[in-house]
Amino acid sequence: MVLDERSALNPLKGQGDGKRDSISGRRKSLTESYFESLGQEYGRESLKDVGEGTTNFQTFLLVFKSFIGTGVLVLPKAFVNGGVLASSLFMVFVAILNTYVMIKLSTTKDVVGEGRLQDIGRLAGGKYMEAWVSFSIVFIQLACGCMYFIFMGSTLYSVVEELTGCHEYIPEAWYFVILAPLIAPLVCIRDLKKLTYPALLADVLIVGGLVYIFAYGFYRIGDDGHKPYDLFNADKFPIFLGTALFSFEGVCLVLPIKSAMKDPLSYPRVLMSVMLCLACIYTGFAVINYLAHGKDMETAIILELPHGSVPVVCVQLAYVMAIGFTFPLQFYPAVQVLESLIWVPPPPLADEPLPVGIIMRQNMFRVVLTTFAAVVAIGGSTSFDNFTALGGAMCSMPLLFIFPPLFHYLLVPNLSTTEKVIDIIITAMGAMLTMGSRRPIANKYSDGKMQRTLKRELKVPETDEW
């Protein structure tokens, strides 16, 4: 099955290339299964053409992959905003609640038979609900794209500043401008499987970087002791809420990953295992680095690594490369939703390529969208943590805590009174958290209290071991 533009825009149940994969009987790799899951979610292809299906262990890795990204790098600073104890308890609470709502969302999908979250929203609340879901998906993916630009540009600026000291001649904003034409061609790739191996390399680089940062945090605590910390920070806790939920934005891939399983009935158990691991990793990573670097740490924890160390420069450049390869995958859902609104889906002829004119116009649209994300990133980089928190508050919270329980309540028949009450409570809580956390963040922007948190001061390490 090839995830080309034809399959992505086709609103009918897919045929053609997917069947050929099933007939061949070839076992798909874990990475291929991930790309097929992505295509099924936004291309609405037939879920029966997945072949043998993924095992429970492969499903575990797929779900884990969909949640682990750059959001974990801003969690230590988020814990500074929320307080180490309150933040830790909230992360565990979010993991438990996230598990519940995703299981209910998959149950809703089984009942209504629709594969996309937008389609379920249309059945639950009509075209306006579908539009709200689509907006949330587009906004959160665009916000992720902006965050990627901020991280890549700021990290490159830091690396060049450390190695050459030429920051006086190349302003940081220029790094965003330089990155845009390098990323845009990747966004224009139509067969996502061409990014299979680069994406796998990106995963290896991200995991390796996290292990290095984790180890350096332990090293700092063992060498210097832990820094002062707050158990609870009421003033900035709303900012923590948005950032924390931004780290749990893999809900968009819950439905297709389950549909690709060999044994879908075991999905709740696999999901609970993933959420348990994520809660431990997120909380442990944030707490260790909070204690190691203190309240004045950089927003992106990777910028706290010692200056001038060759391994640190390698880790930073590896992260930039990893995020560059991940960018088109992160942008893919937003691009497909927007293009389906602009261009009428073509007839369902799987073997016929798209007209060259449409391809050129869509490529131009993708270039413009990528450039737009880079421009927004220039403004958002003045306060990375608040920018991330605002994206999480506006769209991650509805995707996690409003849509799944609401759709479950409206579409699943014969619910018990307890299930109905739980759905209502979670939906109401999600709405209150969305409004309650968004207002303080927006007020900080309007009051002009934002300060640049990503501009790194040169730091001389006490030792060059790291």
Side-chain angles (χ1 to χ4, degrees), residues 4 6-7 10 12 15-16 346-354:
D4 56 12
R6 169 81 40 191
S7 64
N10 184 6
L12 303 178
Q15 300 179 10
L349 300 176
D351 295 329
E352 179 183 337
L354 282 173

Side-chain angles (χ1 to χ4, degrees), residues 48 210 411 428:
K48 297 180 180 179
L210 289 179
L411 297 176

Side-chain angles (χ1 to χ4, degrees), residues 157 160-161 164-172 175 455 458:
Y157 175 83
V160 174
E161 182 184 44
T164 66
C166 65
H167 57 280
E168 297 179 358
Y169 307 101
I170 305 179
E172 186 174 350
Y175 288 89
K455 186 170 183 177
L458 296 181

Side-chain angles (χ1 to χ4, degrees), residues 118 130-141 337 394-395:
Q118 303 99 297
E130 181 184 14
W132 186 15
V133 175
S134 298
F135 170 80
S136 297
I137 293 175
V138 169
F139 189 92
I140 196 65
Q141 303 306 132
V337 171
M394 291 185 64
C395 294

